[in-house]
Amino acid sequence: MWRFHLARNPLTTMLVVFSIVIFFLSLILRLWLLDAWLPHYFIDENDVVEPSIVVFGGGIEPGGYGYGPLYSYLLALLHWVVSFFSRQSFVDYSINIFFDPTSYYILARTFNMTIHLATAGIVFYLAKLVFGWRTALVALPLLVFPFADLLTNYTVRVDSLLALLATATLLAAIKGYETEDLKWYLFAGVFFGLSVATKPLPAILILPTLALAHLLSQSRTLRSDESLKSNLHPKLLGKLVFKSLISKNLWYAGLAAFLAHTIANPYSLIKIKHFYWSQIRILSSEGGRGYGLGIDLTRYFGDLGVVFVIAGAASVFYILGYALVRRDARVAILLSYPVIYFLAFAFGSSREYWYIPIIFLIAVFLSKAIIDFADAFLNKDNMKSYFVFAALGAVLIQPVTILVSDAAFRQQGEQAHASLSSKKWIESHAPSGSRILIYGMAGYLPRVIDQRADVQAVFGEYFMYGRTKHQHYVDLYHVAHDTYLSMYQPTYLVTHINSNCLKDHDPKEDDLRQALDKNHYDLLVTYCDVQGLVAHNGEPIFFPYKPRRGGFNLWIYESPAPNRSMTNH
């Protein structure tokens, strides 16, 4: 058996040094990407950050009930700390969230990155607990590399907090299995309750794993009963289920989960009907959104690298065989969660960042497979060491390249981002008061500012998901809009037609045609193919955008007879 000696094995030192190098290299690049494309935040990112300002101002009731509010509550606490030490009032601290939100998103993205590092630390301990030091040390370079950040595209996602809490729940469940100590059952209950307060439906996917851990723990005392000769004896199974259900540890864990969830998301009970129907709507709609099937592993090649995805998937099957052969309950418990989680989204529409809760565990399984392969096929320790580093290099080389290329793309500045470069062109060439028709989904278009507060509120998507129920936030917006106007910043008369025009049939094409026929616009801004409708306008101004995970090229069409001359560009 090839062993690590923590004090004197050169491989141990090399792995630690390699992990430190990977950590700081990726950290530098990750920090460089913290402000990527701000103030043009990514779609849905504002649905975490903006509610945190609502909470910071005292509005703890969520605007919607699809997500849990815990992430926004934690961000609000960070806002309070920053505002306290900067001695700013709510209005002074929060007013820029609408028109210059860069600092808020940098704070949130830093917090999100920290969550990933904390999750890596928990999974490192899990790897050591279940597989030993060798697997933990080999996994360390993969755990400190920002695979999760690649999945989020460096943005803020509630799935990151779910990963941390679910991993902590899993650790407590395995410790509870080992010790049957009430303390670990309580920890598992608390972390599970907080997970549900973060993202309810994916959070409950850990319940089968918790049930498995509890059943295996309770089964140990029954195996000593010699009158029950078979592990599958019906009487044994009946006694196991009954003993598990009456266990005080189970009931205390359930109470802890209920209390933790109620404290972190009280309105799930206060507005239980809204909470319930929100989950039903998510179940009925998310799977048909057209993001691609979760089981299509090629979707993740561009984020995680071909080797990591294929070898990681193969390692799951290897660990399954390992658990069956060794009859290792801890491995079975650890493996059950990522398998159930993946299968839950495998045959429906899913987004890449939904898999953050299991990506760290896949890295551990892959590391265990690498070690066991070296043990099985290589004799000399130095050859095994070379193989480990070659395997880690093969896994990491493409993700490192992706991270470096993203940082290089970021360095090109606003000219590399169509929405930012087109916004700069508009502000440089279109006088204030110009009539601008925006066609497409607002999140992918330049965020020019309308001089009418009510129109800008809709186009800016500031009050989505019920944020208008908090009057202090509405008042803050109007103060911010008045302040923006008083600073004589460029403002326009914006008409927005919200169209998902990337489908086979553009559902809003007739609306666009009518708008162009009935009204005069100085500019038409879109990423949609509308050349046939505006061919008489001549060649549009083109703004390319080609990031790693797709993008939207933009075109600006000038009016053939504009009210104001904007042709000198």
Side-chain angles (χ1 to χ4, degrees), residues 191-205:
F191 289 130
F192 172 68
L194 296 177
S195 298
V196 178
T198 301
K199 197 173 184 183
L201 290 176
I204 65 174
L205 293 175

Side-chain angles (χ1 to χ4, degrees), residues 135-264:
T135 298
L137 286 171
V138 173
L140 186 58
L142 302 181
L143 294 175
V144 298
F145 186 81
F147 284 107
D149 294 293
L150 291 175
L151 287 178
T152 65
N153 207 14
Y154 320 107
T155 61
V156 179
R157 303 293 177 188
V158 296
D159 307 81
S160 300
L161 182 58
L162 175 62
L164 175 65
L165 295 171
T167 304
T169 305
L170 188 57
L171 172 61
I174 291 177
K175 294 291 288 186
Y177 160 77
E178 289 184 334
T179 65
E180 295 188 50
D181 190 335
L182 175 61
K183 169 182 66 178
W184 292 110
Y185 274 79
L186 293 176
F187 279 136
V190 168
F191 289 130
F192 172 68
L194 296 177
S195 298
V196 178
T198 301
K199 197 173 184 183
L201 290 176
I204 65 174
L205 293 175
I206 203 172
L207 280 176
T209 297
L210 298 179
L212 176 64
H214 181 57
L215 286 170
L216 290 174
S217 174
Q218 297 298 307
S219 69
R220 279 188 299 223
T221 57
L222 294 180
R223 292 175 192 155
S224 60
D225 189 344
E226 294 184 358
S227 65
L228 304 175
K229 298 181 180 180
S230 171
N231 284 340
L232 296 179
H233 193 288
K235 186 177 179 181
L236 174 65
L237 294 177
K239 288 185 67 174
L240 175 59
V241 172
F242 180 74
K243 185 174 185 293
S244 299
L245 289 176
I246 65 171
S247 166
K248 70 173 184 178
N249 286 359
L250 176 66
W251 287 94
Y252 280 129
L255 178 61
F258 175 79
L259 291 176
H261 176 258
T262 301
I263 293 171

Side-chain angles (χ1 to χ4, degrees), residues 250-289:
L250 176 66
W251 287 94
Y252 280 129
L255 178 61
F258 175 79
L259 291 176
H261 176 258
T262 301
I263 293 171
N265 187 10
Y267 283 89
S268 63
L269 288 181
I270 297 172
K271 299 290 183 71
I272 189 170
K273 184 177 180 180
H274 294 285
F275 178 77
Y276 172 78
W277 285 110
S278 291
Q279 308 312 311
I280 296 298
R281 281 193 295 271
I282 290 173
L283 281 174
S284 61
S285 62
E286 284 291 337
R289 288 201 172 191

Side-chain angles (χ1 to χ4, degrees), residues 51 61 102 245 264 281 291 297 303 386 395 429 454 510 539 552:
E61 180 181 354
T102 297
L245 289 176
R281 281 193 295 271
Y291 296 118
L297 299 183
D303 291 318
Y386 294 147
V395 171
H429 293 80
D454 55 339
D510 290 340
E539 288 297 318
F552 296 87

Side-chain angles (χ1 to χ4, degrees), residues 80-136:
W80 182 86
V81 171
V82 174
S83 67
F84 176 81
F85 284 103
S86 60
R87 299 180 180 275
Q88 291 179 292
S89 67
F90 165 70
V91 172
D92 292 337
Y93 177 83
S94 307
I95 192 170
N96 290 324
I97 187 66
F98 301 102
F99 302 120
D100 187 20
T102 297
S103 61
Y104 311 98
Y105 283 89
I106 289 177
L107 178 66
R109 290 177 181 184
T110 303
F111 182 57
N112 208 77
M113 179 183 68
T114 305
I115 288 173
H116 290 163
L117 294 176
T119 306
I122 294 176
V123 175
F124 177 82
Y125 180 76
L126 259 176
K128 179 257 179 186
L129 179 68
V130 176
F131 295 115
W133 273 110
R134 295 199 307 157
T135 298

Side-chain angles (χ1 to χ4, degrees), residues 465-516:
Y465 304 117
R467 293 198 276 277
T468 51
K469 68 175 64 173
H470 301 288
Q471 188 60 42
H472 70 277
Y473 187 68
V474 177
D475 294 340
L476 178 68
Y477 164 71
H478 286 284
V479 172
H481 191 270
D482 290 343
T483 303
Y484 189 89
L485 292 179
S486 69
M487 296 171 64
Y488 303 105
Q489 299 291 333
T491 56
Y492 307 96
L493 298 173
V494 179
T495 299
H496 176 221
I497 300 178
N498 187 12
S499 173
N500 188 5
C501 57
L502 299 181
K503 293 183 176 180
D504 294 336
H505 172 68
D506 184 353
K508 296 294 184 68
E509 186 175 299
D510 290 340
D511 293 346
L512 174 61
R513 183 180 290 106
Q514 292 178 17
L516 291 172

